[in-house]
């Protein structure tokens, strides 16, 4: 049995590993595009930076909801973006208990410089998606299936109670 046939045979059981591998590959290749232009950029910054540029100041919770990611993931990105001088936080004037994140002047200039690159990356992503017969739609369906019932719930239904 070839490595390729083993990978395809185990595709259902190894879907998480395959998605991680593809995600890491895409990130690695995108990072090479940034590096070739001398741009120090972390892929996890994209969602937060583009959202703040488009919508203006937002709380960590608002960003997490808009990007459909965890509060922890946004907080981690916030720390590195703040350390890089690209975003800052201020107290929300409407609610002094809440902090909002916003682009700094350096962050706004950085994002303005990156939009042409992001537009190119998005165009390439759209083309790859079309070439590969719309895996984005399949990922939407996969996410919906997991929303209806988690992987762990599905496994629990199949396992004997004694394990």
């Amino acid at each position: 049995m070839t490595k390729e046939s083993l990978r395809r045979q185990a595709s259902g059981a190894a879907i998480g590993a395959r998605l991680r591998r593809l995600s890491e590959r895409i990130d690695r290749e995108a990072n090479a595009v940034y590096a070739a232009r001398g741009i120090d950029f972390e892929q996890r910054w994209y969602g937060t930076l583009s959202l703040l540029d488009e919508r203006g100041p937002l709380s960590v919770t608002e960003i997490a909801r808009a990007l459909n990611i965890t509060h922890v993931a946004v907080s981690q990105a916030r720390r590195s973006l703040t350390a890089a001088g690209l975003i800052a936080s201020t107290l929300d004037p409407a609610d002094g208990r809440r902090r909002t994140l916003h682009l700094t002047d350096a962050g706004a200039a950085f994002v303005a410089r990156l939009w042409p690159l992001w537009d190119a990356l998005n165009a390439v992503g759209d083309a790859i998606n079309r070439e590969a017969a719309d895996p984005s739609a399949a990922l939407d369906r996969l996410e919906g299936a997991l929303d209806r019932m988690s992987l762990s719930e599905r496994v629990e239904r199949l396992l004997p109670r004694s394990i």
Side-chain angles (χ1 to χ4, degrees), residues 137-154:
L139 291 172
D140 289 342
R141 291 189 304 273
L142 175 61
E143 192 169 24
L146 291 170
D147 287 345
R148 286 186 295 281
M149 184 184 299
S150 72
L151 180 107
S152 59
E153 291 171 312
R154 291 166 190 262

Side-chain angles (χ1 to χ4, degrees), residues 61-109:
T61 300
E62 290 169 327
I63 293 168
R65 280 189 193 130
L67 298 176
N68 197 26
I69 60 176
T70 66
H71 191 281
V72 171
V74 177
S75 293
Q76 290 171 345
R78 174 189 47 84
R79 282 191 289 280
S80 61
L81 285 163
T82 300
L86 301 174
I87 67 168
S89 66
T90 55
L91 287 177
D92 183 340
D95 181 353
R97 299 166 297 173
R98 189 176 100 128
R99 299 190 72 76
T100 59
L101 306 179
H102 63 275
L103 294 174
T104 62
D105 290 342

Side-chain angles (χ1 to χ4, degrees), residues 13-35:
I15 195 165
R18 291 185 73 191
L19 289 171
R20 263 188 307 286
R21 189 183 76 244
L22 283 170
S23 177
E24 288 167 359
R25 179 178 181 177
I26 290 167
D27 285 352
R28 186 174 53 252
E29 291 182 16
N31 285 336
V33 172
Y34 291 108

